Amino acid sequence: MTEWIWLVIALPALGTVFLHFFGRRIGEPYAGWIASATIGSSFVIGLIAAVPFLRGEAHAETVYLFDWIPALGAHAELLWDPLSALMVLVVSGVGTLIHVYSIGYMHGDERFGRFFTYMNLFATSMLTLVLANNFAVLFLGWELVGLCSYLLISFWFTRPAAAAAGKKAFIVNRIGDFGFMIALMLVFTTFGTLSYSQVLENPGELLGAGTATAVGLLFLVGAAGKSAQIPLYVWLPDAMEGPTPVSALIHAATMVTAGVFVVARTAPIYALSETASVAVATVGAFTALLAATIAIAQRDIKRVLAYSTISQLGYMFVGVGSAAYVAGMFHLMTHAFFKALLFLGAGSVIHAMADEQNMNKMGGLFGKMKITGWTMAIATLAIAGIPPLAGFWSKDEILGTAFEKGGFYYLLWAIGLLTALLTAFYMTRMFILTFLGKPRWAEGVHPHESPRTMTVPLMVLAALSVLGGLVNTPFRLGLEHFLEPAFEGVELAHAPEGALLWILAAVSVLAGVVGILMAAALYLGPEERRERLLGQIRRPWFAMENAYWVDQMYGRTIVIPGKKLSIWAAFTFDNGVIDGIVNGVGVLVQRLAAALRPLQTGLVRNYALVLAAGVVGLVVWFLSSGGL
Amino acid sequence: MDFPILAVLILLPATAAVIIALLPERRSEVILPVGVALSMLPVGLAGYLFFAFEKGEAGFQFVEKVAWYEPWGISWHLGVDGISLLLVVLTTILVPISLAASTAITDRLRMFVAMVLVLEAGLIGVFLSLDLFLFFVFFEVILIPMYFIIGIWGSERRIYAAVKFFIFTAFGSALMLAGIIAMALMHGDQTGQISFNYIDLLQLSMSSNTELWLFGAFALAFAIKVPLFPLHTWLPDAHVEAPTAGSVLLAGVLLKLGTYGLLRFNLPLFPEASVELVPVLAVVAVIGIIYGAIVAIVQPDLKKLVAYSSVSHLGFIVLGIFALTSQGLQGGVIQMVNHGITTGALFLLVGMIYERRHTKKIADFGGLARVMPVFAGIFLFTSFASIGLPGLNGFIGEFLVLLGSYTTLQPYAIIAAFGVVLAAVYLLWAYERVFTGPVTKPENEKLPDLGFREIAIMVPLIALMLFLGLYPKPALDRIAPSTERVLDRIEQVADFDVPEPGRLDDVFSGEAP
């Protein structure tokens, strides 16, 4: 089956091309079903090809397709190992559910066919990224994912905010790519090839510790762009301008996981540099905390989830930055389940509320939308880290490993723990404001449960959010055994064992429970008490609500000065100075010509003569300077 | 002697120009179709050349040599190698496309078509000449049709732009002519036979001082053509004023004369000076990359924006060439072709919207994607090719240049990489203002989307962008041996070792902190 693994990419690619030309004619709902079928087939193929890994009897294989850029050692070549297998399954599995859901969600959109063209392209790109066997193909997928985010975020391009958000996503990602590209330059200069097989086999042979640190930090810059970490996370909250299934795809299955994946993929390089690894974990921890505090005060349901994604990605960075690659990938997987569920559930709510996203105008929806409500409740508990749901196992493994590493990592553990409390708080707050309490709906809104195409994916994801964590528990480390071959030669960090394990687990569960109870007390309790308590922390609350004005700060320190520089360069310097000199010389020559009027005969042949004389003079000069 | 395919390739468009000139002016409706049809013939011939070209061969192929004026050692000496092959193919492809896009021209159409065809003959001649005198003749011949194309069929400030273009380039070529003659005479002095033959002149022995001077004379002529900062200001004016076909050929092919010249003449003829002057060229190249991009961001006119983007992209080519690595040179050559395709396409698109609205000002548009979805889609596609999105053609050259130049020109390569970020800024911001949001101007409400002819013009270019992005191997296989030969020559003559990536000492020798 492995030699057919390219079909995983080719099928959605074919879907993209087909729907590009015929999507409009095919129309609703078949365009959506075709797109779902292609990505669904990718999942099935991936599953069949992964069976040998599950049995633990296969090893990594590369599949050569054709030469791409020979001078860089970059062929169109795929790598099928447990890590890419896991990513393929998550991307295509969750992706398929989101595709199916979109058939219902995008009902009635005049560019229905085009939407699925882009969705299939998104899947194609992400699958290329994870299946690459060299950094050039990785970069191909990496950039195409950026393209797709651009296309889908600005899908409703007649809305200026959507168009601007799409552009912002692409450009901020490109800033990250700047670092990524320099990392690739370093890798190529050091190894003379971009092929994983040569670079990652035994990087220490050619890569000194200093260069390894540089490469690791530069990959981190790229990863921070794609995975929305400090300081490049600002594009992700705006990305919700796209249709909600797009947010689900970006936040859960594709795109943002790319950064985490790259760190895991290049683990042999990070293994050479403690500095780079600590940097990854530190960025992750602080991003997790920062984003969680912002999520607390948001009113827009999708914004809460957006900041929650940033925060959860932070956990994954802590994981892979602590050399707990399995834990990081584990959280990537469980997060894909419950975050896809949360976004799709939010979409279901928004759908029901006639495109209302402000939670202050929701409330009391539980009775009206039972399936959405229940599944969202499950997702909330899963992300809050309540056992035995998926999020508990993966988050706890990351925190446990950080604690076990000790030293500086104690701090990261503490930050992670605090974030866990905040996470439980803001998620419970979101759930209460949306589903419980009295309805605060606008007039003319009649909430209703969503159609089957939307609720079935919700239920599947809810099941995965409950059971997904069981693949890797302290009792049975299934995922770890599965992934281990992919990290051969890399020393993996582990969670503690014995009593400490249970104490740490108890502490983090406690944090989650406290968060939930605090939110419940605040938002289910009397309104007047809430007003009073929030009034006491009005200022910090206001800052959190406005995301600490980071966007505005970037605007003032980068965008506006940049524009001013550009205006100065274009109009003052280029038009004024440089072209001024050019034209000045022209005028000078004319004046000179006027003074030498008698010589000016107006005959072209005289000018030609002068030119020829000049040339002769120059020839003589060149020859004489040559010592002839 | 075999069939003189290269001579035919030059004479075919020249003959076509004569045929067009003989058509009756009053039958104006047939002039353009006949012109397009005739200009398809060189495409077929160039296509044959591409496939008949021996892949592993580094030297010149299909060589033709007929003495022209023996006392001075001037001959009709043509040949094609991996460096010129693709540029010839590109030229032949762009001509019928730009003619087909010239339906808006009604005044003196016969002369216009003939001028474009003469220009084509000159361009192909430049790429194929192996005699420096012949090369110079073609190099100058080009100026005349281009001068008229801008000066007659341009917009309001066409005379200013045409004269500026002419004086700038003529100034550069005067220097180069002096250099060429000096070399021919030196050859006479050293061997007793004056020669303009490229192959002969490679054997010249020169003092390093002479080499520097001659390098300078050639480099200045080519730097104006590229154009390199600060000699670029003729370019935006020429582009803004030129009719669409003029802009397409100017950006698509004419600018490449500069980079082609640097690679064909400066590196092999003056290897020591080249190695010595790498820092100078690298600095101006990188300035061009960043400066061109920064200036492009705020241009209010679409054509000017694309023109400045060319300054940025051509900087990558020069950086790649003077990186003096296999990857850099390969990247430089393929980037010449890719820039021709992509920027040519962008100018065609700007021309199409100009014909509908008679304005190129970004501020006059907004929300066009709803009114003209096909146009918007093709524009976005081409923009991403220009931005260097992997999978499309622009990426291959840029990536090879960046990775190739990092080995030898580390800090420059890092700065150049930032140009890639800026490319996304200026193109996507322009796209946002022209195509997204609501339609704000009533004039734009009812614009017709692209018609069949216009789509047919774009399809070959789109196909090339995709093909060269996904499978550049046929092109790279033909380029690589010839660029490798240039490097070999530099290694032999100058005191220079082309570094092999992967065998370097650790770039950062520090210990892990």
Side-chain angles (χ1 to χ4, degrees):
Chain A
M1 200 64 205
T2 313
E3 64 269 30
W4 293 96
I5 202 69
W6 55 274
L7 278 174
V8 166
I9 297 171
L11 285 172
L14 213 63
T16 310
V17 174
F18 181 76
L19 289 172
H20 177 77
F21 288 107
F22 304 108
R24 194 205 242 310
R25 244 162 289 173
I26 295 168
E28 248 191 88
Y30 301 107
W33 286 115
I34 289 171
S36 309
T38 62
I39 171 95
S41 311
S42 294
F43 177 75
V44 173
I45 294 169
L47 200 59
I48 297 171
V51 168
F53 292 137
L54 290 169
R55 292 208 194 114
E57 58 195 29
H59 43 85
E61 274 182 74
T62 59
V63 181
Y64 167 85
L65 301 173
F66 56 88
D67 278 5
W68 188 31
I69 316 178
L72 302 178
H75 307 304
E77 194 172 42
L78 306 180
L79 170 62
W80 185 246
D81 75 342
L83 184 60
S84 53
L86 176 71
M87 286 301 288
V88 163
L89 294 179
V90 171
V91 172
S92 60
V94 177
T96 305
L97 294 171
I98 297 171
H99 272 67
V100 172
Y101 172 96
S102 304
I103 297 172
Y105 191 86
M106 295 304 286
H107 170 72
D109 194 284
E110 55 174 345
R111 289 164 75 233
F112 186 87
R114 183 46 48 95
F115 180 81
F116 283 97
T117 311
Y118 293 161
M119 291 289 273
N120 253 357
L121 183 61
F122 213 149
T124 310
S125 314
M126 190 67 193
L127 291 166
T128 307
L129 192 163
V130 300
L131 278 169
N133 190 36
N134 59 62
F135 288 102
V137 176
L138 170 79
F139 194 57
L140 167 75
W142 184 267
E143 289 291 278
L144 286 181
V145 162
L147 165 74
C148 295
S149 68
Y150 171 82
L151 293 172
L152 282 167
I153 293 168
S154 51
F155 185 73
W156 288 317
F157 61 82
T158 47
R159 300 201 328 228
K167 181 193 65 177
K168 181 175 175 182
F170 193 83
I171 291 174
V172 172
N173 267 290
R174 271 254 149 163
I175 294 171
D177 295 346
F178 175 58
F180 198 88
M181 203 116 69
I182 298 170
L184 296 191
M185 294 179 195
L186 259 172
V187 167
F188 181 73
T189 303
T190 314
F191 295 92
T193 174
L194 292 176
S195 167
Y196 289 169
S197 317
Q198 278 129 293
V199 175
L200 298 178
E201 189 63 40
N202 184 9
E205 211 174 309
L206 288 167
L207 203 61
T211 318
T213 303
V215 172
L217 291 177
L218 288 163
F219 274 136
L220 172 60
V221 174
K226 273 276 161 330
S227 291
Q229 299 293 292
I230 292 173
L232 297 176
Y233 64 87
V234 288
W235 65 271
L236 193 64
D238 289 17
M240 56 160 216
E241 288 293 339
T244 304
V246 173
S247 309
L249 202 57
I250 290 177
H251 290 249
T254 64
M255 183 117 181
V256 294
T257 56
V260 183
F261 167 75
V262 161
V263 177
R265 180 51 93 202
T266 55
I269 293 177
Y270 281 96
L272 296 173
S273 169
E274 185 66 25
T275 315
S277 298
V278 172
V280 170
T282 310
V283 166
F286 283 95
T287 307
L289 180 63
L290 180 86
T293 60
I294 298 171
I296 283 180
Q298 299 304 308
R299 289 185 197 146
D300 185 311
I301 183 168
K302 279 173 83 177
R303 264 189 195 271
V304 176
L305 294 176
Y307 282 105
S308 147
T309 301
I310 298 171
S311 175
Q312 295 294 312
L313 286 162
Y315 277 114
M316 297 174 213
F317 271 64
V318 174
V320 292
S322 316
Y325 296 104
V326 173
M329 294 306 295
F330 184 27
H331 197 57
L332 185 156
M333 182 187 92
T334 59
H335 176 257
F337 299 151
F338 55 71
K339 188 49 64 71
L341 173 51
L342 285 168
F343 260 109
L344 297 184
S348 180
V349 168
I350 294 165
H351 196 72
M353 298 296 295
D355 293 330
E356 182 57 71
Q357 295 184 194
N358 187 342
M359 294 188 296
N360 286 347
K361 298 195 178 151
M362 295 180 183
L365 284 173
F366 201 84
K368 294 281 180 187
M369 343 180 37
K370 280 268 162 41
I371 300 176
T372 306
W374 273 113
T375 53
M376 284 286 265
I378 290 169
T380 302
L381 292 175
I383 193 174
I386 301 304
L389 279 68
F392 162 75
W393 302 104
S394 53
K395 188 194 290 185
D396 226 47
E397 200 178 328
I398 290 173
L399 289 178
T401 314
F403 190 88
E404 176 80 359
K405 284 196 86 130
F408 177 67
Y409 284 88
Y410 280 133
L411 174 67
L412 304 185
W413 170 81
I415 292 173
L417 192 68
L418 176 60
T419 306
L421 189 151
L422 295 174
T423 306
F425 179 88
Y426 69 70
M427 286 311 300
T428 311
R429 168 180 176 267
M430 186 202 88
F431 186 81
I432 293 170
L433 287 177
T434 309
F435 289 102
L436 306 180
K438 285 203 188 68
R440 303 177 294 275
W441 312 334
E443 254 177 81
V445 172
H446 303 290
H448 51 85
E449 185 56 279
S450 298
R452 273 287 177 76
T453 45
M454 291 167 70
T455 51
V456 171
L458 290 182
M459 292 187 280
V460 176
L461 285 168
L464 289 169
S465 301
V466 175
L467 303 170
L470 302 179
V471 300
N472 207 45
T473 61
F475 313 106
R476 202 178 147 274
L477 291 166
L479 188 69
E480 178 142 355
H481 293 311
F482 178 80
L483 281 178
E484 237 163 16
F487 297 106
E488 222 180 359
V490 177
E491 205 179 316
L492 293 173
H494 292 278
E497 284 167 9
L500 184 58
L501 172 76
W502 299 111
I503 295 167
L504 287 176
V507 171
S508 67
V509 172
L510 187 68
V513 172
V514 169
I516 292 174
L517 291 179
M518 277 167 62
L522 203 57
Y523 287 92
L524 287 177
E527 198 164 330
E528 154 292 315
R529 185 179 64 186
R530 179 168 72 219
E531 299 279 307
R532 183 163 46 78
L533 284 171
L534 291 183
Q536 284 165 0
I537 53 163
R538 208 175 56 237
R539 274 156 181 254
W541 189 264
F542 190 60
M544 294 190 297
E545 200 177 343
N546 286 288
Y548 307 110
W549 298 280
V550 170
D551 255 326
Q552 289 82 342
M553 192 188 77
Y554 283 174
R556 242 188 315 221
T557 55
I558 297 168
V559 179
I560 293 175
K563 216 178 257 183
K564 277 190 184 147
L565 170 72
S566 180
I567 288 172
W568 177 84
F571 302 116
T572 310
F573 187 71
D574 203 68
N575 276 0
V577 179
I578 295 192
D579 217 25
I581 291 174
V582 168
N583 288 327
V585 169
V587 170
L588 211 67
V589 171
Q590 269 176 13
R591 292 255 173 84
L592 198 69
L596 303 173
R597 177 70 65 192
L599 297 177
Q600 196 177 15
T601 57
L603 285 179
V604 173
R605 69 160 182 266
N606 285 21
Y607 295 148
L609 199 67
V610 173
L611 196 68
V615 168
V616 170
L618 277 166
V619 170
V620 171
W621 165 248
F622 285 141
L623 292 175
S624 66
S625 79
L628 289 175
Chain B
M1 197 169 165
D2 298 330
F3 177 67
I5 181 169
L6 301 186
V8 173
L9 210 43
I10 297 172
L11 293 176
L12 213 51
T15 317
V18 174
I19 295 174
I20 293 291
L22 292 176
L23 288 177
E25 179 77 72
R26 60 199 156 71
R27 298 293 308 278
S28 66
E29 74 281 0
V30 300
I31 292 172
L32 206 56
V34 170
V36 173
L38 288 175
S39 66
M40 293 295 281
L41 298 175
V43 180
L45 203 57
Y48 169 77
L49 189 69
F50 182 83
F51 289 107
F53 186 87
E54 198 70 47
K55 256 194 284 189
E57 181 61 48
F60 291 101
Q61 305 183 27
F62 304 96
V63 176
E64 301 164 17
K65 190 174 175 190
V66 181
W68 185 2
Y69 187 67
E70 255 171 283
W72 289 0
I74 299 173
S75 52
W76 172 269
H77 187 186
L78 304 177
V80 64
D81 72 348
I83 297 169
S84 50
L85 176 69
L86 288 154
L87 291 168
V88 170
V89 176
L90 173 74
T91 310
T92 60
I93 292 175
L94 285 181
V95 169
I97 287 176
S98 37
L99 280 179
S102 297
T103 46
I105 288 178
T106 49
D107 176 43
R108 280 177 282 181
L109 179 60
R110 205 168 47 163
M111 184 177 165
F112 174 79
V113 176
M115 284 295 170
V116 171
L117 290 166
V118 170
L119 180 63
E120 178 179 14
L123 289 167
I124 296 176
V126 165
F127 293 132
L128 295 180
S129 298
L130 292 183
D131 182 287
L132 266 69
F133 189 85
L134 191 62
F135 165 79
F136 187 77
V137 169
F138 283 124
F139 197 77
E140 293 299 286
V141 159
I142 288 163
L143 292 187
I144 298 156
M146 200 64 214
Y147 174 81
F148 285 121
I149 290 173
I150 300 173
I152 297 180
W153 295 279
S155 37
E156 298 86 50
R157 296 175 69 227
R158 56 181 179 268
I159 301 295
Y160 170 77
V163 170
K164 198 172 181 181
F165 161 77
F166 193 89
I167 291 179
F168 251 102
T169 25
F171 171 73
S173 19
L175 285 175
M176 183 169 65
L177 178 61
I180 291 175
I181 295 173
M183 288 177 74
L185 294 179
M186 278 161 71
H187 194 267
D189 195 64
Q190 289 175 11
T191 66
Q193 166 66 45
I194 296 174
S195 176
F196 284 90
N197 188 325
Y198 176 73
I199 315 285
D200 288 347
L201 294 180
L202 288 174
Q203 312 301 327
L204 276 183
S205 59
M206 281 180 261
S207 73
S208 54
N209 200 19
T210 314
E211 229 191 278
L212 278 179
W213 278 108
L214 290 172
F215 180 98
F218 277 74
L220 195 63
F222 296 137
I224 289 171
K225 269 272 184 313
V226 170
L228 285 174
F229 177 90
L231 305 168
H232 63 276
T233 55
W234 65 269
L235 183 73
D237 285 320
H239 270 309
V240 169
E241 302 306 322
T244 301
S247 289
V248 172
L249 292 173
L250 186 60
V253 191
L254 250 77
L255 305 187
K256 277 44 168 224
L257 299 185
T259 46
Y260 171 79
L262 289 171
L263 180 51
R264 170 70 81 222
F265 298 107
N266 281 62
L267 291 193
L269 289 174
F270 322 115
E272 280 181 50
S274 301
V275 172
E276 201 171 323
L277 291 174
V278 158
V280 180
L281 271 299
V283 166
V284 282
V286 168
I287 291 179
I289 292 171
I290 300 298
Y291 180 80
I294 288 179
V295 172
I297 294 173
V298 289
Q299 290 304 320
D301 180 296
L302 276 174
K303 261 192 161 180
K304 265 203 172 160
L305 190 147
V306 181
Y308 278 106
S309 85
S310 287
V311 175
S312 181
H313 282 129
L314 272 284
F316 276 103
I317 300 175
V318 176
L319 183 70
I321 291 174
F322 283 89
L324 303 180
T325 60
S326 314
Q327 293 77 22
L329 283 184
Q330 279 184 42
V333 175
I334 193 102
Q335 176 79 346
M336 288 189 216
V337 179
N338 286 333
H339 175 263
I341 296 167
T342 316
T343 310
L346 281 175
F347 277 122
L348 287 167
L349 291 164
V350 176
M352 288 170 188
I353 192 68
Y354 180 76
E355 282 170 21
R356 285 168 171 71
R357 284 279 281 106
H358 298 287
T359 173
K360 304 182 295 268
K361 293 261 173 292
I362 292 173
D364 287 334
F365 301 111
L368 289 195
R370 195 171 62 75
V371 191
M372 308 172 66
V374 175
F375 179 68
I378 295 178
F379 197 100
L380 190 63
F381 183 90
T382 311
S383 298
F384 273 109
S386 183
I387 288 171
L389 187 80
L392 300 179
N393 61 341
F395 170 72
I396 307 291
E398 235 169 54
F399 200 54
L400 276 166
V401 166
L402 285 174
L403 266 55
S405 54
Y406 187 84
T407 319
T408 46
L409 299 170
Q410 205 190 84
Y412 302 99
I414 291 174
I415 301 171
F418 197 70
V420 176
V421 179
L422 294 175
V425 175
Y426 61 74
L427 274 172
L428 291 186
W429 192 38
Y431 182 87
E432 183 187 2
R433 287 175 292 163
V434 173
F435 290 97
T436 66
V439 182
T440 43
K441 296 250 174 7
E443 306 91 296
N444 296 331
E445 279 289 356
K446 296 234 152 46
L447 291 178
D449 206 343
L450 297 192
F452 176 76
R453 177 185 61 89
E454 291 169 313
I455 293 176
I457 288 171
M458 299 308 298
V459 163
L461 296 178
I462 293 172
L464 282 173
M465 289 178 218
L466 263 175
F467 184 79
L468 285 172
L470 292 173
Y471 196 58
K473 190 172 149 68
L476 292 172
D477 277 353
R478 286 168 173 77
I479 293 170
S482 298
T483 51
E484 222 48 48
R485 203 166 77 132
V486 173
L487 287 178
D488 285 347
R489 178 173 163 78
I490 294 175
E491 276 192 319
Q492 280 162 20
V493 178
D495 182 26
F496 179 73
D497 287 324
V498 174
E500 289 264 340
R503 304 214 191 118
L504 296 175
D505 296 330
D506 193 5
V507 236
F508 292 92
S509 38
E511 289 298 305

